[in-house]
Amino acid sequence: MARAPFHREGEAVRRDALIAATAQCLATHGAGGISVRMVAAAAGVSAGLVTHYFGGIDDLIAATYHATGDRIGALLDAAVAAAGPTPRARLSAYVEANFRPPISDPELLATWAAFWALAGSNPAIAAIRDSVAAATRAQVESLLAACGARETRLAAIGLTALIDGLWLERSLNPATFSAAEAGALAERWLDALIG
Amino acid sequence: MARAPFHREGEAVRRDALIAATAQCLATHGAGGISVRMVAAAAGVSAGLVTHYFGGIDDLIAATYHATGDRIGALLDAAVAAAGPTPRARLSAYVEANFRPPISDPELLATWAAFWALAGSNPAIAAIRDSVAAATRAQVESLLAACGARETRLAAIGLTALIDGLWLERSLNPATFSAAEAGALAERWLDALIG
DNA sequence: ACCGTTGTTATACACGTGTAAAACAATTTG
DNA sequence: CAAATTGTTTTACACGTGTATAACAACGGT
């Protein structure tokens, strides 16, 4: 039959489009509802390009996880870099960035929650998740130590758990509380963790 | 071909077996990996019984969510009922029960996390999740109020978010911290929330 | 022992899935 | 303008999916 007309593009353009489409589909349909044909349609290409550029849907999802983690990490780093000079200001900036757009956008939260779901049963996704979580905790430990916190390992675990729990709740039902309320709770936990 | 021999059973026995099998499959394979054939095999019956007793896999998953929520709620109620008479003892018992078997068993946590994943894209599951979460927060608000906490709505949100975040982390990687450490963090948050 | 009831299995069906690769079209080069 | 390159679409394939239901087997009653 007649083929759809198309423009030829470089590899990076196609890969980025497929990654963005995957993030969107994960957010909208969850880990169990995503498919090759759905992602290709969202990216405006045909399904063959998934295998062509990524070797398959699993590798595309893994690449999307990396890209999303890099994006969130860059946003958090920028927030800390832009903060006031005191250690507490930097830690507060880190926390606040979690509950401000673009990180607090429901679509980004939903994509991230989909990765959590996949990590439970997909070893490759679990490995990415472990390395992302370890890097996050290391960064938070460093920020907490600068503030004089004791037992920084457990404090970092406690802080990231609260942030993840608030993210999870907002991705499932954004009406439960506002991003500002989430930020206020996290500040209060910081007060308790630092002493 | 020759049929598999079987014993006839009452409806309740079959439904309970299918629900238990569903929880197990959700824990092991996640929300995206479960199937009718898999659940039926785990229950020791044939796939036709899923449609026969539940109308389909979606209704079976919803029934499993209800059953799991009821089980967790009963465990938490029992912990509070068995606690010392002071409001703080009751609240601490509530928190501690979250991080002690059977609630802290990885399989139960993984099943629960699978429901979170399904809630993101399945309206029926989302509705069950909203009602379970609302009931949990109401109970926690009541326990917090008895301890003299102010702004109990936000405090309840903060406490359940930390518990959920710690559950999530342990379901994804139980080696990150112990259940005892999780309980200690939650107690520390209680101290901060009650003042 | 036979019959009726009904719990249950096995099968068929239509559909969606991910992947592979032949074939084609866009674009560049000579 | 023709040929070469290569990005991309389309198609085919094997497989797994959920559901419906005919047929059968377990069991109880007479």
Side-chain angles (χ1 to χ4, degrees):
Chain A
M1 67 186 285
R3 284 191 176 210
F6 62 93
H7 274 285
R8 299 177 69 157
E9 297 283 2
E11 177 171 339
V13 170
R14 292 303 191 197
R15 286 177 63 95
D16 286 350
L18 285 165
I19 284 174
T22 300
Q24 178 194 346
C25 292
L26 282 169
T28 310
H29 297 92
I34 195 173
S35 73
V36 171
R37 288 167 177 77
M38 176 192 294
V39 169
V45 298
S46 63
L49 283 196
V50 170
T51 305
H52 180 74
Y53 281 118
F54 288 95
I57 185 70
D58 283 345
D59 289 345
L60 172 51
I61 290 176
T64 306
Y65 201 173
H66 276 299
T68 310
D70 287 348
R71 182 182 172 212
I72 291 179
L75 288 166
L76 294 172
D77 288 346
V80 170
T86 68
R88 180 57 191 262
R90 291 163 61 84
L91 182 54
S92 294
Y94 175 92
V95 165
E96 193 201 353
N98 276 284
F99 301 110
R100 192 180 62 227
I103 293 183
S104 67
D105 289 345
E107 175 164 323
L108 182 49
L109 293 184
T111 302
W112 202 244
F115 290 129
W116 284 333
L118 289 160
S121 52
N122 182 327
I125 301 295
I128 300 174
R129 192 252 151 211
D130 284 348
S131 77
V132 166
T136 297
R137 277 196 298 277
Q139 182 180 19
V140 169
E141 278 194 61
S142 174
L143 291 167
L144 284 164
C147 291
R150 297 185 305 277
E151 294 182 59
T152 52
R153 169 186 160 273
L154 209 50
I157 286 167
L159 181 59
T160 56
L162 181 68
I163 292 173
D164 284 351
L166 293 169
W167 272 20
L168 176 65
E169 179 62 40
R170 280 186 58 76
S171 77
L172 294 178
N173 191 341
T176 309
F177 52 86
S178 69
E181 291 180 311
L185 279 168
E187 280 294 314
R188 199 166 166 186
W189 192 205
L190 281 187
D191 290 342
L193 291 173
I194 294 168
Chain B
M1 65 184 283
R3 285 193 176 209
F6 61 92
H7 275 286
R8 299 178 68 154
E9 297 285 1
E11 178 172 339
V13 170
R14 292 302 191 198
R15 286 178 62 96
D16 286 349
L18 284 165
I19 284 174
T22 300
Q24 179 195 346
C25 292
L26 282 170
T28 310
H29 297 91
I34 195 173
S35 73
V36 172
R37 286 166 177 78
M38 176 192 293
V39 169
V45 299
S46 65
L49 283 195
V50 170
T51 305
H52 180 72
Y53 281 117
F54 288 94
I57 185 69
D58 282 345
D59 290 345
L60 171 51
I61 289 176
T64 306
Y65 201 173
H66 277 299
T68 310
D70 288 348
R71 181 181 171 212
I72 290 179
L75 289 165
L76 294 171
D77 288 346
V80 170
T86 67
R88 179 58 191 262
R90 290 162 62 82
L91 182 53
S92 294
Y94 176 91
V95 164
E96 192 201 353
N98 276 284
F99 301 109
R100 190 181 64 228
I103 294 183
S104 67
D105 289 346
E107 175 165 324
L108 182 50
L109 293 183
T111 302
W112 202 244
F115 290 129
W116 284 332
L118 288 160
S121 52
N122 181 327
I125 302 294
I128 300 174
R129 194 248 150 217
D130 283 347
S131 77
V132 165
T136 296
R137 279 197 297 276
Q139 183 181 20
V140 169
E141 279 195 60
S142 173
L143 292 167
L144 283 164
C147 291
R150 298 185 303 278
E151 295 181 62
T152 54
R153 170 187 159 272
L154 209 49
I157 286 167
L159 181 60
T160 56
L162 180 68
I163 292 173
D164 284 351
L166 294 168
W167 271 21
L168 176 64
E169 178 62 42
R170 280 186 56 77
S171 77
L172 293 178
N173 190 340
T176 309
F177 52 86
S178 69
E181 292 180 310
L185 279 167
E187 280 294 316
R188 199 165 166 185
W189 191 205
L190 280 187
D191 291 341
L193 291 173
I194 294 168

